[in-house]
C-alpha cells in the first residue's frame, strides 16, 4: 500500500465537511446550459475533418517545444491569421489560456514593478502573479475609484493593470473606455483577458476591445480558444516586441511541448468559421436577450448577476442548497452546474448558466420557469 502524507487526507476531509469536495463526472446527454461552447463550434464535425486535411500528414504530437522541434509550419499561418483578425501587430499561441496568463504575468512585470488586478480575476492570472517578482495588489471589482486610489500611490513605479473584459462567474464587464483612460492618465499598461468575450461581442465576434475600438491602445490582450471557438489553445496579442519577449522569457511557453498540428489547424479554421458566423452570433445574442427578459418576467432579477454576456448566474447561498437545486434542474433534463465556495466566496454560491446559439428560446424559458418554481414555491 502506498504511503501518503497525512495532510492530503486532512485537507480532503475539510473540503468534504464544507460540502465542497470536487469530483470528476462524466458529461451526460442533457440540454447544454453549462459548457463554454457558446457558438457550437466544439461539436462541429466538419471543423474537425477540415482541420485533419489542413494538418496534412498524420501526426499525433508536435514532438517538442516550439523552440526545438515543435514549431511546425501551421504556427506561422495561424499566428498571422489571428493577428490580422484582431488587428494586432503580433500574436503568440500558447497551449491554453491558463498557460498564456501564467506566461504573461510571471515574466513581464519585473522586480520593483506593481500589478493592480481586479479582485475577481481568474486563477490563471493570480497564479502568474504568484510566480512574478513584482508586487501585486487587488482593487475592488470593477471599481475605478478604488483603482485610481491605488494608481495614485504607485506613481514612481512601472504599473500594470490586469482585468477581464467578461468575468467568468458573474458575466459582467468593466467600463473599458474609462478604464483605459485611467490607465493612460497614470501611465499604466493595461492587460485584458478576452476569454469570454471572443465570439460573443464585437465585429465578427472579435471581442469587446475591438468592439470599443481600443485595440491600438491596450498593451496586451489574451484570447482563448476553449470557449466560443470550440478548440484548444490561446493567443497573446500585442506589439511585436511583446511576442519576442514572451518567446524568450515566458516559461509556460518555453518549457512545454507545442500543440500538435491538428490543434493549430483547428484554430486557423475556427477563425475562418467565426468570420462567416454572423447568423450564429446574432442567434446567440438573441438568446442572451431572451434569457434576460425571461428572468425579469419571472421576478428573478434580484437573484441573478450578469445578463449582457453569455454567462448569467443565480446566486443561491450555501453549497448544500445550491447543489440540491442544481440536482433538481439536472433531473429535469438541463445541464446547469453549481459553482461552490471556495471557487466563489462563501455566500456567493450559484447556479451558473451558459447561453449558446444552439439553445432554443423554449429551452431557456423552461429552465428558468423551473428555477423560479423551485426558488419561490
Amino acid at each position: 500500500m502506498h504511503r501518503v502524507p497525512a495532510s492530503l487526507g486532512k485537507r480532503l476531509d475539510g473540503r468534504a465537511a464544507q460540502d465542497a469536495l470536487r469530483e470528476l463526472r462524466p458529461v451526460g446527454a442533457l440540454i447544454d446550459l453549462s459548457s463554454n461552447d457558446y457558438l457550437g463550434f466544439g461539436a462541429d464535425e466538419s471543423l474537425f475533418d477540415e482541420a485533419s486535411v489542413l494538418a496534412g500528414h498524420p501526426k499525433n504530437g508536435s514532438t517538442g517545444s516550439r523552440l526545438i522541434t515543435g514549431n511546425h509550419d501551421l504556427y506561422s499561418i495561424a499566428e498571422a491569421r489571428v493577428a490580422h483578425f484582431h488587428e494586432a501587430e503580433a500574436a503568440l499561441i500558447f497551449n491554453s489560456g491558463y498557460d498564456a496568463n501564467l506566461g504573461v504575468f510571471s515574466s513581464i512585470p519585473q522586480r520593483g514593478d506593481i500589478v493592480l488586478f481586479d479582485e475577481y480575476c481568474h486563477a490563471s492570472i493570480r497564479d502568474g502573479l504568484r510566480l512574478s517578482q513584482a508586487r501585486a495588489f487587488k482593487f475592488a471589482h470593477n471599481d475605478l475609484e478604488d483603482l485610481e486610489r491605488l494608481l495614485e500611490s504607485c506613481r514612481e513605479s512601472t504599473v500594470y493593470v490586469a482585468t477581464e473584459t467578461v468575468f467568468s462567474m458573474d458575466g459582467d464587464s468593466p467600463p473599458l473606455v474609462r478604464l483605459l483612460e485611467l490607465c493612460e492618465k497614470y501611465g499604466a499598461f493595461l492587460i485584458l483577458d478576452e476569454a469570454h468575450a471572443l465570439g460573443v461581442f464585437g465585429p465578427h465576434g472579435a471581442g469587446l476591445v475591438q468592439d470599443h475600438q481600443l485595440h491600438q491602445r491596450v498593451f496586451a490582450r489574451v484570447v482563448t480558444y476553449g470557449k466560443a471557438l470550440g478548440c484548444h489553445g490561446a493567443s497573446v496579442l500585442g506589439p511585436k516586441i511583446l511576442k519576442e519577449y514572451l518567446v524568450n522569457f515566458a516559461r509556460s511557453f518555453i518549457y512545454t511541448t507545442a500543440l500538435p498540428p491538428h490543434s493549430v489547424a483547428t484554430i486557423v479554421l475556427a477563425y475562418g468559421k467565426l468570420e462567416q458566423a454572423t447568423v450564429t452570433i446574432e442567434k446567440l445574442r438573441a438568446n442572451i436577450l431572451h434569457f434576460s427578459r425571461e428572468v425579469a418576467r419571472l421576478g428573478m432579477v434580484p437573484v441573478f448577476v450578469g445578463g449582457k454576456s453569455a454567462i448569467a448566474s443565480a446566486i443561491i447561498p450555501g453549497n448544500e442548497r445550491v447543489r440540491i437545486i442544481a440536482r433538481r434542474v439536472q433531473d429535469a433534463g438541463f445541464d446547469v452546474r453549481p459553482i461552490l465556495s471556495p471557487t466563489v466566496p462563501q455566500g456567493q454560491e450559484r447556479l451558473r448558466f451558459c447561453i449558446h446559439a444552439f439553445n432554443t428560446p423554449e429551452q431557456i424559458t423552461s429552465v428558468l420557469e423551473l428555477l423560479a418554481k423551485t426558488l419561490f414555491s
Side-chain angles (χ1 to χ4, degrees), residues 91-111:
L92 181 66
I93 292 176
F94 282 73
N95 284 15
S96 69
Y98 186 95
D99 286 338
N101 277 329
L102 206 68
V104 165
F105 290 100
S106 64
S107 70
I108 293 175
Q110 304 297 300
R111 189 183 303 276

Side-chain angles (χ1 to χ4, degrees), residues 135-372:
R135 291 181 295 159
F137 304 93
K138 64 185 177 183
F139 57 91
H141 180 53
N142 287 341
D143 188 335
L144 297 193
E145 289 185 8
D146 193 36
L147 174 59
E148 184 162 22
R149 176 185 63 80
L150 290 169
L151 286 167
E152 282 278 6
S153 67
C154 302
R155 286 182 178 273
E156 303 304 314
S157 304
T158 298
V159 179
Y160 298 88
V161 173
T163 190
E164 303 175 26
T165 58
V166 175
F167 283 86
S168 61
M169 288 296 117
D170 284 11
D172 59 345
S173 301
L176 286 178
V177 175
R178 291 197 293 123
L179 172 63
L180 180 58
E181 290 172 348
L182 188 61
C183 290
E184 290 175 337
K185 175 181 176 181
Y186 288 91
F189 297 94
L190 182 59
I191 303 174
L192 294 173
D193 186 322
E194 289 251 76
H196 292 278
L198 179 62
V200 182
F201 295 99
H204 301 290
L208 274 170
V209 175
Q210 282 169 264
D211 195 30
H212 290 292
Q213 290 293 300
L214 304 176
H215 47 287
Q216 302 300 332
R217 296 160 60 189
V218 172
F219 168 61
R221 288 174 280 167
V222 177
V223 290
T224 67
Y225 305 138
K227 279 85 178 171
L229 262 64
C231 48
H232 204 71
S235 290
V236 178
L237 310 171
K240 292 179 181 177
I241 192 173
L242 173 62
K243 178 176 180 175
E244 183 180 6
Y245 181 88
L246 292 171
V247 168
N248 280 275
F249 294 101
R251 294 168 70 86
S252 61
F253 175 86
I254 298 166
Y255 298 107
T256 191
T257 300
L259 290 172
H262 189 278
S263 293
V264 182
T266 307
I267 293 170
V268 174
L269 293 166
Y271 268 100
K273 190 174 180 66
L274 191 59
E275 288 178 327
Q276 305 298 321
T278 304
V279 173
T280 305
I281 293 171
E282 286 305 316
K283 188 173 181 183
L284 171 62
R285 292 171 180 171
N287 280 345
I288 292 169
L289 181 60
H290 178 69
F291 190 101
S292 180
R293 286 174 174 168
E294 289 297 88
V295 165
R297 180 181 69 84
L298 294 165
M300 292 195 291
V301 170
V303 176
F304 271 86
V305 294
K308 293 185 179 179
S309 73
I311 300 166
S313 292
I315 305 300
I316 303 172
N319 281 348
E320 182 179 8
R321 183 167 181 247
V322 74
R323 270 184 159 159
I324 289 170
I325 292 175
R327 202 168 298 122
R328 290 177 185 170
V329 174
Q330 291 162 8
D331 287 344
F334 299 97
D335 188 358
V336 182
R337 303 294 177 94
I339 307 296
L340 312 175
S341 58
T343 299
V344 292
Q346 204 163 26
Q348 291 292 306
E349 295 84 3
R350 63 195 61 200
L351 273 188
R352 179 175 179 263
F353 292 81
C354 290
I355 306 160
H356 310 94
F358 53 79
N359 293 134
T360 66
E362 292 77 18
Q363 289 171 348
I364 292 169
T365 295
S366 294
V367 73
L368 289 175
E369 287 179 344
L370 173 61
L371 179 62

